[in-house]
Amino acid sequence: MLVTMTIALLSAAPLPVETYDWPTLVAAIEANHPLMKAAKLGTERFESTLKSAKWSHFPSLQLRARAGVRVEGEAFTPGESDGWGDYYRVGVTLEQPIYTFGKLNGLKEVARHGVEIAEVEVELARWELYYRAASAYQGALLSRELSALLEEGEAWVSKVETRLDTLRSEDSEEYDPLLHMRLKSRLGELAAMKVHNQNLYEESHDALRLLLSRPFGHPVRPAEDGVRLTPFALKAPEHYLALAQGERPAFKILDLEVALEETKALKAQSQAWPDLVLLGEVNALGSAENSTPRAFPGDGVSGVAAGVLLALRWRFSPSESLLKGEQFTLQSERLRERGRAARLMFERDLRRLHGRIKRALPLLDIEAKARESARAWLVSA
């Protein structure tokens, strides 16, 4: 019984609250979030592909070996074993590419573009998580600051309502029924604001928990007590457009995908040409009962044989060398046009956002002063 109660108390004990400041939060999310881990694993995968492509320049070895028994001379008669002997054959073939008309270099370039795209995808995942973290972190701070302001507002409304109720009960000439009606309408607005703020609080803290990969019910909160505005000088839209052209991950990926398709087209076109290779082969053939050099049916001459030669290996397929190259070229043009469209849409959105920020900047000081005045008025009322 005592053990059961102890377990129940321990299970009901609240979890310790994890508190994060902004730099620590960003580092923890980047280290633990599955989206970042998946992006980094994608980079490792393409790096492995690039290593494999680099190894294609080195010689390849093929080993063949078999052993058993073989009938020598007369045909095999079921139930008889005369004429059978131990038999073995071992062969090693070496193939070294000499010149492939760009096939191996194209393979490496395709893999290298894959690595570059994967690296930008890591950057894209980092910025996506940064944006999510900033929204959740600032939302949690804002909800905390609004909670304090709403509590002050509730105290002021309660104080005024009590005074109006007293004036009405005393049938005082100072009682204003219109003011009382407006106050009751403000009570509904205040209740709605509390509900919205509670939603913001729960959604922001839940987003922080998920970004940190914590289980449901695990409390996480920011270290600061309120929103801190960071002053900055708003520059011309052209400055941000030029910055985005070279730094925005989505544009980088589109440009790299265009280069990847162009490389695939060149690689496909190289399939129309032969490969110059160096071939070397060593074969050993023999039998325990027939050690002298002689012919084995279907296998050649017993003993050891070796040879080296230069060879052309040519496998021409129009569908692979010509048509596929055309397909990759068309795909690169398609991606290039998509990139142009994306840049046009981005410029439109950026100029709209720039205009909204420019118009909102003068309001920051006004709203900060109004907030302080409202708090002072509520406290003194």
Side-chain angles (χ1 to χ4, degrees), residues 220-233:
V220 179
R221 58 167 289 174
E224 288 114 334
D225 295 326
V227 178
R228 296 181 181 178
L229 300 178
T230 302
F232 73 100

Side-chain angles (χ1 to χ4, degrees), residues 314-327:
W314 196 357
R315 179 181 177 274
F316 178 70
S317 173
S319 63
E320 291 186 6
S321 60
L322 301 179
L323 299 181
K324 274 195 174 182
E326 182 181 0
Q327 292 171 13

Side-chain angles (χ1 to χ4, degrees), residues 67-73 76 80-88 286-291 294 296:
V69 293
R70 176 183 288 278
V71 175
E72 300 169 3
F76 169 67
E80 297 182 1
S81 60
D82 296 340
W84 284 66
D86 295 334
Y87 162 82
Y88 70 91
S287 168
E289 296 185 5
N290 297 277
S291 57
R294 62 183 301 277
F296 280 75

Side-chain angles (χ1 to χ4, degrees), residues 105-376:
N105 288 333
L107 186 64
K108 287 194 300 182
E109 286 301 311
V110 168
R112 185 173 290 109
H113 286 312
V115 172
E116 292 171 347
I117 292 174
E119 289 174 347
V120 179
E121 287 178 345
V122 171
E123 183 182 349
L124 182 62
R126 181 179 292 110
W127 279 110
E128 174 66 23
L129 292 175
Y130 188 94
Y131 173 78
R132 294 185 193 178
S135 299
Y137 193 83
Q138 296 299 326
L141 293 178
L142 180 61
S143 66
R144 188 182 305 175
E145 189 170 332
L146 288 176
S147 295
L149 189 60
L150 289 172
E151 287 177 3
E152 295 177 4
E154 276 189 314
W156 176 82
V157 169
S158 177
K159 184 177 178 180
V160 174
E161 186 178 25
T162 301
R163 183 172 181 275
L164 289 174
D165 287 338
T166 302
L167 292 174
R168 185 179 60 178
S169 63
E170 295 176 352
D171 198 16
S172 173
E173 294 182 357
E174 296 180 8
Y175 175 71
D176 186 350
L178 293 178
L179 176 61
H180 206 170
M181 292 176 61
R182 286 197 300 269
L183 181 66
K184 290 185 179 296
S185 67
R186 295 295 185 269
L187 285 173
E189 295 176 3
L190 192 62
M193 291 173 64
K194 287 184 64 177
V195 170
H196 291 315
N197 189 56
Q198 184 63 29
N199 292 338
L200 176 62
Y201 177 89
E202 293 179 358
E203 292 169 2
S204 299
H205 285 78
D206 196 50
L208 288 175
R209 177 185 64 81
L210 290 174
L211 286 168
L212 291 166
S213 302
R214 300 294 187 266
F216 179 78
H218 195 106
V220 179
R221 58 167 289 174
E224 288 114 334
D225 295 326
V227 178
R228 296 181 181 178
L229 300 178
T230 302
F232 73 100
L234 186 64
K235 298 182 180 180
E238 289 72 19
H239 169 79
Y240 301 106
L241 287 172
L243 191 64
Q245 292 298 328
E247 299 297 331
R248 187 171 173 81
F251 293 163
K252 288 183 180 180
I253 290 177
L254 283 171
D255 293 340
L256 287 172
E257 286 179 343
V258 170
L260 174 62
E261 295 301 319
E262 291 175 344
T263 304
K264 286 181 179 180
L266 293 175
K267 180 177 176 296
Q269 293 168 7
S270 67
Q271 299 294 329
W273 300 93
D275 298 335
L276 179 63
V277 296
L278 178 67
L279 293 176
E281 187 170 351
V282 177
N283 291 305
L285 174 66
S287 168
E289 296 185 5
N290 297 277
S291 57
T292 58
R294 62 183 301 277
F296 280 75
D299 285 305
V301 180
S302 63
V304 178
V308 178
L309 58 88
L310 281 174
L312 283 177
R313 182 178 55 194
W314 196 357
R315 179 181 177 274
F316 178 70
S317 173
S319 63
E320 291 186 6
S321 60
L322 301 179
L323 299 181
K324 274 195 174 182
E326 182 181 0
Q327 292 171 13
F328 290 133
T329 300
L330 292 174
Q331 177 66 2
S332 68
E333 291 297 325
R334 174 175 173 269
L335 292 173
R336 184 176 286 108
E337 294 303 323
R338 284 183 57 189
R340 291 172 182 167
R343 284 174 166 85
L344 290 174
M345 297 293 290
F346 175 78
E347 180 178 359
R348 182 203 64 182
D349 295 340
L350 186 140
R351 291 187 182 278
R352 288 179 178 178
L353 178 61
H354 186 275
R356 288 198 296 266
I357 293 175
K358 186 176 181 179
R359 290 186 292 270
L361 281 177
L363 300 178
L364 294 177
D365 292 335
I366 297 174
E367 290 181 355
K369 293 176 181 178
R371 184 174 52 187
E372 293 301 324
S373 299
R375 178 177 285 112

Side-chain angles (χ1 to χ4, degrees), residues 41-51 110-111 114-115 118 121:
L41 287 172
T43 301
E44 293 177 8
R45 169 175 169 267
F46 281 103
E47 287 176 347
S48 177
T49 304
L50 178 58
K51 290 179 182 177
V110 168
V115 172
E121 287 178 345

